[in-house]
Amino acid sequence: MADTIKDFKTMQQKLNLDGADLCRLAQDFRRTAEDALAGKKSSLSALRTYLGLPTGLETGTFMALDFGGTNVRASRITLSGADGFTIETKVSKPLRGDAYDYTTSSTTAEALFDFIANIVKEAAGGNEPYKLGFTFSFAVNQTSAKDASLIAWSKEIDVPGVAGKSINGLLKEALVRNGMDRIEPVALLNDTTATLLSSVYQHNPAQIGIVCGTGFNMCYYEPALSMIVNLEAGGFSGGPRTDWDRRVDEESQQPGDHCFEKMIGGRYLNELFRVMVMDYLDRDDVPRFTTRCMNELFSGEKTVRDVLGFDVTPAQKEGLCALGGAVFTRAAQMIGAASFGILGHLAGEEELKEQAIAIEGSLVEKIAGVPSVIEGAVCRSCMGLSEGTPIHIVPNSHGASIGAAIAAALCCLLYT
C-alpha cells in the first residue's frame, strides 16, 4: 500500500504547477500574444473579429446558431436591453449519433450544412425574416464581422470541402435548400467572442472571454484596435507538457496541433487521465471513457467498475481520485495563468482594475472548485498579488448562443 500511495503522489507531482511555474507561463503567454498582435511569428493568433463590446441596450428577436465541436445548437432569442434576454426556443443535436456522424472525412460539406440548417429550421418554427448570428468555433480568416472562411478544422473534425469557403455562404445555401430563404446570416464569430459579448451585455466589466468545453480558446478586447481579438489559444506552444500529454497528442487525429488545448479541453482530459491510469495500474486494458464519466467517478455517481470495467483496491481508488483531481486542477491553473498574461498586457504599467473574466464550458460549469482554482492561479501568476485581487471568474451559461444574437444585433447596426 505504501508503494501505491508513493507512486500516485509521484505522478501527481508531475502535474503540479507552483507559483513560479504559473508566473513563467503567464509571462510566456503574454509575450506570445503580443508577438501575434505585432504580426511576428507566434503560436497564438491575433484574429480580428471586427466586433466591439455591446452597450447592453441592443434589442430585437434574432436567430442564434452555435457550432462548437460536439453539438449544434440553434435558438430564437429576444434581446430586451436593460430587461435582459429571453431564450424562446432552443434545439440541440449532437454531431455524432447512433446512426450518423457528421465529423468524418466521408461527410460532404453540403450534408453537414444541411444538418445544421434543419436544426435552425426547427428552432425558428417557420420561414420568418430573422437575422442570424453564427457562433463558429474554429480558426477562420475574417475580414468583417459578417462572415469568414475556415482556415482549418480542429477538435477531431475532418469534413472536406469547407476550408477556404465562406461559412455563412455555405449556411445560407443550406437554408435556401431547406426552405428557409427568409433567414439571413449576418454575423459570424467565435464562441469565446460570443461569451464575452454575453457577459458584457449582462453588465459584467469583462475584457476577457474564455471557453473550456470540448476545446479551449480565449479572446479579449484590444483597446488599440477597438475590437475583440481571438487568440486561438489552444495552439499556444508554451504549456508544461508531460510524457502523458505527448502520448495523448501522438494518438490524436492531428498530432502536433493544438497541444495547449489537449491539456485543457474536455475532448482530451479524459484521455490524459486514461493514459495516466494505465501507467498507475500497470495495465493496458483500460477502456476509453468520457470526461463526464470521469467526473461522475470522482463525485460518486459512478463506481470504478462502471467507468473502467474492473474493481480496484481502496488505496488504488484514492490514487485514481488524486490523479483525476490533478488533471482538472492543472487545466484550471493554466487557464488562470494565461488569463493573467492577457490582464498584464491590458494593464501595462498600471495596476490591475477590478473586472470579470467571462467563461463558459463544462470544465467550469460541471467540475466543482474550478472557478476558485482559476482565480487562485491569477493571483499566484503574478507572485505579488494578494488573495483580495479584484479578478472574478463569471461562469456564463448559454454565452455562445446569447452572444450570437448580440453579434447579429451589432451587425445590423454596423452594416445598415
Side-chain angles (χ1 to χ4, degrees), residues 364-402:
V364 73
E365 292 170 10
K366 307 214 172 142
I367 312 300
V370 164
S372 62
V373 173
I374 296 174
E375 288 177 358
V378 169
C379 295
R380 295 174 68 201
S381 295
C382 149
M383 301 292 282
L385 293 180
S386 69
E387 291 299 321
T389 302
I391 305 299
H392 311 289
I393 302 302
V394 180
N396 192 24
S397 297
H398 308 298
S401 295
I402 303 304

PDB file of all heavy atoms in Angstrom, residues 364-402:
ATOM      1  N   VAL A 364     -15.686  24.529 -16.246  1.00  0.00           N
ATOM      2  CA  VAL A 364     -16.011  25.462 -15.168  1.00  0.00           C
ATOM      3  C   VAL A 364     -17.414  25.251 -14.620  1.00  0.00           C
ATOM      4  O   VAL A 364     -17.701  25.549 -13.461  1.00  0.00           O
ATOM      5  CB  VAL A 364     -15.824  26.922 -15.645  1.00  0.00           C
ATOM      6  CG1 VAL A 364     -16.926  27.333 -16.605  1.00  0.00           C
ATOM      7  CG2 VAL A 364     -15.787  27.876 -14.467  1.00  0.00           C
ATOM      8  N   GLU A 365     -18.320  24.722 -15.441  1.00  0.00           N
ATOM      9  CA  GLU A 365     -19.708  24.580 -15.019  1.00  0.00           C
ATOM     10  C   GLU A 365     -19.966  23.270 -14.276  1.00  0.00           C
ATOM     11  O   GLU A 365     -20.863  23.196 -13.432  1.00  0.00           O
ATOM     12  CB  GLU A 365     -20.635  24.659 -16.237  1.00  0.00           C
ATOM     13  CG  GLU A 365     -20.660  26.046 -16.879  1.00  0.00           C
ATOM     14  CD  GLU A 365     -21.371  26.053 -18.216  1.00  0.00           C
ATOM     15  OE1 GLU A 365     -22.010  25.039 -18.558  1.00  0.00           O
ATOM     16  OE2 GLU A 365     -21.293  27.080 -18.927  1.00  0.00           O
ATOM     17  N   LYS A 366     -19.198  22.233 -14.565  1.00  0.00           N
ATOM     18  CA  LYS A 366     -19.518  20.920 -14.032  1.00  0.00           C
ATOM     19  C   LYS A 366     -18.487  20.341 -13.086  1.00  0.00           C
ATOM     20  O   LYS A 366     -18.766  19.356 -12.413  1.00  0.00           O
ATOM     21  CB  LYS A 366     -19.725  19.941 -15.197  1.00  0.00           C
ATOM     22  CG  LYS A 366     -20.735  20.448 -16.190  1.00  0.00           C
ATOM     23  CD  LYS A 366     -21.542  19.357 -16.804  1.00  0.00           C
ATOM     24  CE  LYS A 366     -22.665  19.930 -17.653  1.00  0.00           C
ATOM     25  NZ  LYS A 366     -22.911  19.179 -18.862  1.00  0.00           N
ATOM     26  N   ILE A 367     -17.295  20.937 -13.035  1.00  0.00           N
ATOM     27  CA  ILE A 367     -16.253  20.421 -12.151  1.00  0.00           C
ATOM     28  C   ILE A 367     -16.162  21.339 -10.944  1.00  0.00           C
ATOM     29  O   ILE A 367     -15.789  22.509 -11.067  1.00  0.00           O
ATOM     30  CB  ILE A 367     -14.884  20.340 -12.858  1.00  0.00           C
ATOM     31  CG1 ILE A 367     -15.022  19.670 -14.233  1.00  0.00           C
ATOM     32  CG2 ILE A 367     -13.889  19.606 -11.982  1.00  0.00           C
ATOM     33  CD1 ILE A 367     -15.560  18.265 -14.194  1.00  0.00           C
ATOM     34  N   ALA A 368     -16.496  20.818  -9.777  1.00  0.00           N
ATOM     35  CA  ALA A 368     -16.543  21.635  -8.561  1.00  0.00           C
ATOM     36  C   ALA A 368     -15.184  22.253  -8.254  1.00  0.00           C
ATOM     37  O   ALA A 368     -14.147  21.596  -8.357  1.00  0.00           O
ATOM     38  CB  ALA A 368     -17.003  20.780  -7.379  1.00  0.00           C
ATOM     39  N   GLY A 369     -15.199  23.541  -7.889  1.00  0.00           N
ATOM     40  CA  GLY A 369     -13.987  24.216  -7.439  1.00  0.00           C
ATOM     41  C   GLY A 369     -13.137  24.845  -8.512  1.00  0.00           C
ATOM     42  O   GLY A 369     -12.181  25.563  -8.210  1.00  0.00           O
ATOM     43  N   VAL A 370     -13.459  24.606  -9.799  1.00  0.00           N
ATOM     44  CA  VAL A 370     -12.605  25.126 -10.872  1.00  0.00           C
ATOM     45  C   VAL A 370     -12.542  26.659 -10.883  1.00  0.00           C
ATOM     46  O   VAL A 370     -11.449  27.223 -11.025  1.00  0.00           O
ATOM     47  CB  VAL A 370     -13.057  24.562 -12.238  1.00  0.00           C
ATOM     48  CG1 VAL A 370     -12.462  25.362 -13.391  1.00  0.00           C
ATOM     49  CG2 VAL A 370     -12.627  23.096 -12.357  1.00  0.00           C
ATOM     50  N   PRO A 371     -13.670  27.392 -10.755  1.00  0.00           N
ATOM     51  CA  PRO A 371     -13.552  28.863 -10.773  1.00  0.00           C
ATOM     52  C   PRO A 371     -12.597  29.403  -9.714  1.00  0.00           C
ATOM     53  O   PRO A 371     -11.794  30.303  -9.995  1.00  0.00           O
ATOM     54  CB  PRO A 371     -14.992  29.329 -10.519  1.00  0.00           C
ATOM     55  CG  PRO A 371     -15.836  28.215 -11.051  1.00  0.00           C
ATOM     56  CD  PRO A 371     -15.086  26.969 -10.711  1.00  0.00           C
ATOM     57  N   SER A 372     -12.634  28.854  -8.501  1.00  0.00           N
ATOM     58  CA  SER A 372     -11.743  29.353  -7.448  1.00  0.00           C
ATOM     59  C   SER A 372     -10.291  29.004  -7.742  1.00  0.00           C
ATOM     60  O   SER A 372      -9.375  29.772  -7.406  1.00  0.00           O
ATOM     61  CB  SER A 372     -12.157  28.802  -6.077  1.00  0.00           C
ATOM     62  OG  SER A 372     -12.051  27.394  -6.047  1.00  0.00           O
ATOM     63  N   VAL A 373     -10.044  27.848  -8.384  1.00  0.00           N
ATOM     64  CA  VAL A 373      -8.669  27.482  -8.754  1.00  0.00           C
ATOM     65  C   VAL A 373      -8.141  28.449  -9.813  1.00  0.00           C
ATOM     66  O   VAL A 373      -6.978  28.876  -9.769  1.00  0.00           O
ATOM     67  CB  VAL A 373      -8.604  26.029  -9.270  1.00  0.00           C
ATOM     68  CG1 VAL A 373      -7.208  25.717  -9.821  1.00  0.00           C
ATOM     69  CG2 VAL A 373      -8.947  25.055  -8.156  1.00  0.00           C
ATOM     70  N   ILE A 374      -8.995  28.830 -10.765  1.00  0.00           N
ATOM     71  CA  ILE A 374      -8.580  29.789 -11.796  1.00  0.00           C
ATOM     72  C   ILE A 374      -8.247  31.133 -11.156  1.00  0.00           C
ATOM     73  O   ILE A 374      -7.215  31.745 -11.454  1.00  0.00           O
ATOM     74  CB  ILE A 374      -9.677  29.948 -12.866  1.00  0.00           C
ATOM     75  CG1 ILE A 374      -9.883  28.631 -13.619  1.00  0.00           C
ATOM     76  CG2 ILE A 374      -9.299  31.065 -13.848  1.00  0.00           C
ATOM     77  CD1 ILE A 374     -11.047  28.652 -14.589  1.00  0.00           C
ATOM     78  N   GLU A 375      -9.116  31.606 -10.259  1.00  0.00           N
ATOM     79  CA  GLU A 375      -8.857  32.874  -9.575  1.00  0.00           C
ATOM     80  C   GLU A 375      -7.554  32.802  -8.774  1.00  0.00           C
ATOM     81  O   GLU A 375      -6.753  33.742  -8.781  1.00  0.00           O
ATOM     82  CB  GLU A 375     -10.024  33.218  -8.652  1.00  0.00           C
ATOM     83  CG  GLU A 375     -11.281  33.637  -9.398  1.00  0.00           C
ATOM     84  CD  GLU A 375     -12.448  33.904  -8.459  1.00  0.00           C
ATOM     85  OE1 GLU A 375     -12.288  33.726  -7.236  1.00  0.00           O
ATOM     86  OE2 GLU A 375     -13.529  34.285  -8.954  1.00  0.00           O
ATOM     87  N   GLY A 376      -7.330  31.672  -8.111  1.00  0.00           N
ATOM     88  CA  GLY A 376      -6.101  31.497  -7.347  1.00  0.00           C
ATOM     89  C   GLY A 376      -4.874  31.511  -8.234  1.00  0.00           C
ATOM     90  O   GLY A 376      -3.830  32.065  -7.874  1.00  0.00           O
ATOM     91  N   ALA A 377      -5.005  30.921  -9.419  1.00  0.00           N
ATOM     92  CA  ALA A 377      -3.872  30.889 -10.347  1.00  0.00           C
ATOM     93  C   ALA A 377      -3.567  32.279 -10.881  1.00  0.00           C
ATOM     94  O   ALA A 377      -2.401  32.614 -11.141  1.00  0.00           O
ATOM     95  CB  ALA A 377      -4.158  29.931 -11.499  1.00  0.00           C
ATOM     96  N   VAL A 378      -4.597  33.119 -11.058  1.00  0.00           N
ATOM     97  CA  VAL A 378      -4.362  34.505 -11.466  1.00  0.00           C
ATOM     98  C   VAL A 378      -3.508  35.203 -10.407  1.00  0.00           C
ATOM     99  O   VAL A 378      -2.536  35.897 -10.706  1.00  0.00           O
ATOM    100  CB  VAL A 378      -5.694  35.257 -11.664  1.00  0.00           C
ATOM    101  CG1 VAL A 378      -5.441  36.758 -11.830  1.00  0.00           C
ATOM    102  CG2 VAL A 378      -6.436  34.715 -12.877  1.00  0.00           C
ATOM    103  N   CYS A 379      -3.868  34.997  -9.133  1.00  0.00           N
ATOM    104  CA  CYS A 379      -3.096  35.600  -8.037  1.00  0.00           C
ATOM    105  C   CYS A 379      -1.653  35.103  -8.030  1.00  0.00           C
ATOM    106  O   CYS A 379      -0.709  35.894  -7.960  1.00  0.00           O
ATOM    107  CB  CYS A 379      -3.752  35.269  -6.695  1.00  0.00           C
ATOM    108  SG  CYS A 379      -5.381  35.985  -6.457  1.00  0.00           S
ATOM    109  N   ARG A 380      -1.477  33.797  -8.111  1.00  0.00           N
ATOM    110  CA  ARG A 380      -0.141  33.211  -7.991  1.00  0.00           C
ATOM    111  C   ARG A 380       0.716  33.479  -9.220  1.00  0.00           C
ATOM    112  O   ARG A 380       1.945  33.469  -9.145  1.00  0.00           O
ATOM    113  CB  ARG A 380      -0.259  31.707  -7.744  1.00  0.00           C
ATOM    114  CG  ARG A 380      -0.917  31.363  -6.409  1.00  0.00           C
ATOM    115  CD  ARG A 380      -1.136  29.870  -6.274  1.00  0.00           C
ATOM    116  NE  ARG A 380       0.131  29.160  -6.153  1.00  0.00           N
ATOM    117  CZ  ARG A 380       0.271  27.865  -6.420  1.00  0.00           C
ATOM    118  NH1 ARG A 380      -0.754  27.154  -6.855  1.00  0.00           N
ATOM    119  NH2 ARG A 380       1.434  27.284  -6.268  1.00  0.00           N
ATOM    120  N   SER A 381       0.084  33.729 -10.359  1.00  0.00           N
ATOM    121  CA  SER A 381       0.842  34.000 -11.586  1.00  0.00           C
ATOM    122  C   SER A 381       1.689  35.250 -11.453  1.00  0.00           C
ATOM    123  O   SER A 381       2.738  35.382 -12.061  1.00  0.00           O
ATOM    124  CB  SER A 381      -0.106  34.173 -12.772  1.00  0.00           C
ATOM    125  OG  SER A 381      -0.788  32.971 -13.033  1.00  0.00           O
ATOM    126  N   CYS A 382       1.204  36.207 -10.681  1.00  0.00           N
ATOM    127  CA  CYS A 382       1.930  37.468 -10.552  1.00  0.00           C
ATOM    128  C   CYS A 382       2.854  37.468  -9.344  1.00  0.00           C
ATOM    129  O   CYS A 382       3.667  38.364  -9.199  1.00  0.00           O
ATOM    130  CB  CYS A 382       0.910  38.573 -10.503  1.00  0.00           C
ATOM    131  SG  CYS A 382       1.246  40.003  -9.609  1.00  0.00           S
ATOM    132  N   MET A 383       2.729  36.456  -8.510  1.00  0.00           N
ATOM    133  CA  MET A 383       3.592  36.237  -7.352  1.00  0.00           C
ATOM    134  C   MET A 383       3.436  37.307  -6.267  1.00  0.00           C
ATOM    135  O   MET A 383       3.695  37.059  -5.116  1.00  0.00           O
ATOM    136  CB  MET A 383       5.078  36.178  -7.763  1.00  0.00           C
ATOM    137  CG  MET A 383       5.397  35.091  -8.764  1.00  0.00           C
ATOM    138  SD  MET A 383       5.217  33.445  -8.079  1.00  0.00           S
ATOM    139  CE  MET A 383       6.727  33.299  -7.117  1.00  0.00           C
ATOM    140  N   GLY A 384       2.955  38.529  -6.657  1.00  0.00           N
ATOM    141  CA  GLY A 384       2.848  39.585  -5.662  1.00  0.00           C
ATOM    142  C   GLY A 384       1.423  39.925  -5.312  1.00  0.00           C
ATOM    143  O   GLY A 384       1.181  40.771  -4.469  1.00  0.00           O
ATOM    144  N   LEU A 385       0.475  39.295  -5.960  1.00  0.00           N
ATOM    145  CA  LEU A 385      -0.919  39.639  -5.705  1.00  0.00           C
ATOM    146  C   LEU A 385      -1.434  38.934  -4.457  1.00  0.00           C
ATOM    147  O   LEU A 385      -1.096  37.800  -4.194  1.00  0.00           O
ATOM    148  CB  LEU A 385      -1.797  39.233  -6.893  1.00  0.00           C
ATOM    149  CG  LEU A 385      -1.565  40.019  -8.193  1.00  0.00           C
ATOM    150  CD1 LEU A 385      -2.505  39.509  -9.259  1.00  0.00           C
ATOM    151  CD2 LEU A 385      -1.767  41.497  -7.989  1.00  0.00           C
ATOM    152  N   SER A 386      -2.293  39.616  -3.736  1.00  0.00           N
ATOM    153  CA  SER A 386      -2.891  39.026  -2.536  1.00  0.00           C
ATOM    154  C   SER A 386      -4.153  38.274  -2.916  1.00  0.00           C
ATOM    155  O   SER A 386      -4.613  38.335  -4.044  1.00  0.00           O
ATOM    156  CB  SER A 386      -3.246  40.127  -1.533  1.00  0.00           C
ATOM    157  OG  SER A 386      -4.310  40.911  -2.037  1.00  0.00           O
ATOM    158  N   GLU A 387      -4.715  37.578  -1.952  1.00  0.00           N
ATOM    159  CA  GLU A 387      -5.957  36.845  -2.194  1.00  0.00           C
ATOM    160  C   GLU A 387      -7.106  37.796  -2.522  1.00  0.00           C
ATOM    161  O   GLU A 387      -8.127  37.389  -3.033  1.00  0.00           O
ATOM    162  CB  GLU A 387      -6.312  35.992  -0.972  1.00  0.00           C
ATOM    163  CG  GLU A 387      -5.348  34.830  -0.744  1.00  0.00           C
ATOM    164  CD  GLU A 387      -5.320  33.862  -1.907  1.00  0.00           C
ATOM    165  OE1 GLU A 387      -6.385  33.585  -2.500  1.00  0.00           O
ATOM    166  OE2 GLU A 387      -4.227  33.384  -2.244  1.00  0.00           O
ATOM    167  N   GLY A 388      -6.944  39.082  -2.207  1.00  0.00           N
ATOM    168  CA  GLY A 388      -8.008  40.040  -2.468  1.00  0.00           C
ATOM    169  C   GLY A 388      -7.952  40.672  -3.849  1.00  0.00           C
ATOM    170  O   GLY A 388      -8.615  41.663  -4.110  1.00  0.00           O
ATOM    171  N   THR A 389      -7.126  40.124  -4.742  1.00  0.00           N
ATOM    172  CA  THR A 389      -7.032  40.663  -6.091  1.00  0.00           C
ATOM    173  C   THR A 389      -8.412  40.729  -6.729  1.00  0.00           C
ATOM    174  O   THR A 389      -9.137  39.740  -6.732  1.00  0.00           O
ATOM    175  CB  THR A 389      -6.118  39.775  -6.953  1.00  0.00           C
ATOM    176  OG1 THR A 389      -4.842  39.710  -6.328  1.00  0.00           O
ATOM    177  CG2 THR A 389      -5.965  40.362  -8.343  1.00  0.00           C
ATOM    178  N   PRO A 390      -8.796  41.879  -7.267  1.00  0.00           N
ATOM    179  CA  PRO A 390     -10.178  42.061  -7.743  1.00  0.00           C
ATOM    180  C   PRO A 390     -10.441  41.469  -9.124  1.00  0.00           C
ATOM    181  O   PRO A 390     -10.882  42.160 -10.035  1.00  0.00           O
ATOM    182  CB  PRO A 390     -10.313  43.583  -7.761  1.00  0.00           C
ATOM    183  CG  PRO A 390      -8.929  44.066  -8.090  1.00  0.00           C
ATOM    184  CD  PRO A 390      -7.995  43.105  -7.400  1.00  0.00           C
ATOM    185  N   ILE A 391     -10.139  40.201  -9.293  1.00  0.00           N
ATOM    186  CA  ILE A 391     -10.416  39.499 -10.539  1.00  0.00           C
ATOM    187  C   ILE A 391     -11.422  38.392 -10.224  1.00  0.00           C
ATOM    188  O   ILE A 391     -11.171  37.557  -9.359  1.00  0.00           O
ATOM    189  CB  ILE A 391      -9.140  38.884 -11.155  1.00  0.00           C
ATOM    190  CG1 ILE A 391      -8.057  39.958 -11.349  1.00  0.00           C
ATOM    191  CG2 ILE A 391      -9.459  38.196 -12.472  1.00  0.00           C
ATOM    192  CD1 ILE A 391      -8.449  41.082 -12.285  1.00  0.00           C
ATOM    193  N   HIS A 392     -12.544  38.400 -10.921  1.00  0.00           N
ATOM    194  CA  HIS A 392     -13.611  37.462 -10.612  1.00  0.00           C
ATOM    195  C   HIS A 392     -13.938  36.611 -11.838  1.00  0.00           C
ATOM    196  O   HIS A 392     -14.073  37.126 -12.946  1.00  0.00           O
ATOM    197  CB  HIS A 392     -14.867  38.209 -10.162  1.00  0.00           C
ATOM    198  CG  HIS A 392     -14.609  39.241  -9.118  1.00  0.00           C
ATOM    199  ND1 HIS A 392     -14.268  38.915  -7.820  1.00  0.00           N
ATOM    200  CD2 HIS A 392     -14.605  40.605  -9.177  1.00  0.00           C
ATOM    201  CE1 HIS A 392     -14.080  40.026  -7.125  1.00  0.00           C
ATOM    202  NE2 HIS A 392     -14.272  41.059  -7.917  1.00  0.00           N
ATOM    203  N   ILE A 393     -14.049  35.316 -11.618  1.00  0.00           N
ATOM    204  CA  ILE A 393     -14.468  34.410 -12.682  1.00  0.00           C
ATOM    205  C   ILE A 393     -15.992  34.408 -12.723  1.00  0.00           C
ATOM    206  O   ILE A 393     -16.652  34.159 -11.710  1.00  0.00           O
ATOM    207  CB  ILE A 393     -13.937  32.990 -12.428  1.00  0.00           C
ATOM    208  CG1 ILE A 393     -12.405  33.000 -12.320  1.00  0.00           C
ATOM    209  CG2 ILE A 393     -14.389  32.040 -13.534  1.00  0.00           C
ATOM    210  CD1 ILE A 393     -11.696  33.557 -13.529  1.00  0.00           C
ATOM    211  N   VAL A 394     -16.559  34.682 -13.901  1.00  0.00           N
ATOM    212  CA  VAL A 394     -18.013  34.730 -14.052  1.00  0.00           C
ATOM    213  C   VAL A 394     -18.445  33.632 -15.015  1.00  0.00           C
ATOM    214  O   VAL A 394     -18.343  33.791 -16.238  1.00  0.00           O
ATOM    215  CB  VAL A 394     -18.471  36.108 -14.578  1.00  0.00           C
ATOM    216  CG1 VAL A 394     -19.991  36.137 -14.729  1.00  0.00           C
ATOM    217  CG2 VAL A 394     -17.998  37.208 -13.642  1.00  0.00           C
ATOM    218  N   PRO A 395     -18.896  32.477 -14.489  1.00  0.00           N
ATOM    219  CA  PRO A 395     -19.435  31.440 -15.375  1.00  0.00           C
ATOM    220  C   PRO A 395     -20.627  31.981 -16.148  1.00  0.00           C
ATOM    221  O   PRO A 395     -21.443  32.729 -15.612  1.00  0.00           O
ATOM    222  CB  PRO A 395     -19.853  30.331 -14.398  1.00  0.00           C
ATOM    223  CG  PRO A 395     -19.019  30.573 -13.175  1.00  0.00           C
ATOM    224  CD  PRO A 395     -18.893  32.062 -13.082  1.00  0.00           C
ATOM    225  N   ASN A 396     -20.721  31.621 -17.419  1.00  0.00           N
ATOM    226  CA  ASN A 396     -21.686  32.276 -18.304  1.00  0.00           C
ATOM    227  C   ASN A 396     -22.406  31.234 -19.150  1.00  0.00           C
ATOM    228  O   ASN A 396     -22.089  31.037 -20.317  1.00  0.00           O
ATOM    229  CB  ASN A 396     -20.949  33.286 -19.180  1.00  0.00           C
ATOM    230  CG  ASN A 396     -21.891  34.204 -19.919  1.00  0.00           C
ATOM    231  OD1 ASN A 396     -23.019  34.414 -19.502  1.00  0.00           O
ATOM    232  ND2 ASN A 396     -21.424  34.749 -21.024  1.00  0.00           N
ATOM    233  N   SER A 397     -23.371  30.539 -18.569  1.00  0.00           N
ATOM    234  CA  SER A 397     -24.141  29.538 -19.305  1.00  0.00           C
ATOM    235  C   SER A 397     -24.889  30.200 -20.456  1.00  0.00           C
ATOM    236  O   SER A 397     -25.357  31.332 -20.328  1.00  0.00           O
ATOM    237  CB  SER A 397     -25.132  28.846 -18.365  1.00  0.00           C
ATOM    238  OG  SER A 397     -24.454  28.153 -17.350  1.00  0.00           O
ATOM    239  N   HIS A 398     -25.007  29.492 -21.559  1.00  0.00           N
ATOM    240  CA  HIS A 398     -25.690  29.970 -22.767  1.00  0.00           C
ATOM    241  C   HIS A 398     -24.959  31.145 -23.417  1.00  0.00           C
ATOM    242  O   HIS A 398     -25.517  31.821 -24.276  1.00  0.00           O
ATOM    243  CB  HIS A 398     -27.142  30.380 -22.475  1.00  0.00           C
ATOM    244  CG  HIS A 398     -27.942  29.345 -21.759  1.00  0.00           C
ATOM    245  ND1 HIS A 398     -28.191  28.103 -22.305  1.00  0.00           N
ATOM    246  CD2 HIS A 398     -28.546  29.370 -20.545  1.00  0.00           C
ATOM    247  CE1 HIS A 398     -28.926  27.400 -21.448  1.00  0.00           C
ATOM    248  NE2 HIS A 398     -29.145  28.143 -20.376  1.00  0.00           N
ATOM    249  N   GLY A 399     -23.708  31.412 -23.001  1.00  0.00           N
ATOM    250  CA  GLY A 399     -22.992  32.566 -23.526  1.00  0.00           C
ATOM    251  C   GLY A 399     -22.817  32.538 -25.027  1.00  0.00           C
ATOM    252  O   GLY A 399     -22.933  33.577 -25.689  1.00  0.00           O
ATOM    253  N   ALA A 400     -22.544  31.359 -25.590  1.00  0.00           N
ATOM    254  CA  ALA A 400     -22.311  31.272 -27.030  1.00  0.00           C
ATOM    255  C   ALA A 400     -23.564  31.642 -27.808  1.00  0.00           C
ATOM    256  O   ALA A 400     -23.502  32.378 -28.805  1.00  0.00           O
ATOM    257  CB  ALA A 400     -21.837  29.872 -27.403  1.00  0.00           C
ATOM    258  N   SER A 401     -24.719  31.167 -27.375  1.00  0.00           N
ATOM    259  CA  SER A 401     -25.967  31.455 -28.080  1.00  0.00           C
ATOM    260  C   SER A 401     -26.388  32.915 -27.896  1.00  0.00           C
ATOM    261  O   SER A 401     -26.757  33.599 -28.861  1.00  0.00           O
ATOM    262  CB  SER A 401     -27.077  30.521 -27.586  1.00  0.00           C
ATOM    263  OG  SER A 401     -26.782  29.182 -27.909  1.00  0.00           O
ATOM    264  N   ILE A 402     -26.344  33.404 -26.659  1.00  0.00           N
ATOM    265  CA  ILE A 402     -26.721  34.798 -26.404  1.00  0.00           C
ATOM    266  C   ILE A 402     -25.777  35.730 -27.159  1.00  0.00           C
ATOM    267  O   ILE A 402     -26.205  36.726 -27.769  1.00  0.00           O
ATOM    268  CB  ILE A 402     -26.688  35.120 -24.903  1.00  0.00           C
ATOM    269  CG1 ILE A 402     -27.597  34.170 -24.119  1.00  0.00           C
ATOM    270  CG2 ILE A 402     -27.099  36.574 -24.662  1.00  0.00           C
ATOM    271  CD1 ILE A 402     -29.023  34.150 -24.589  1.00  0.00           C
TER     272      ILE A 402
END
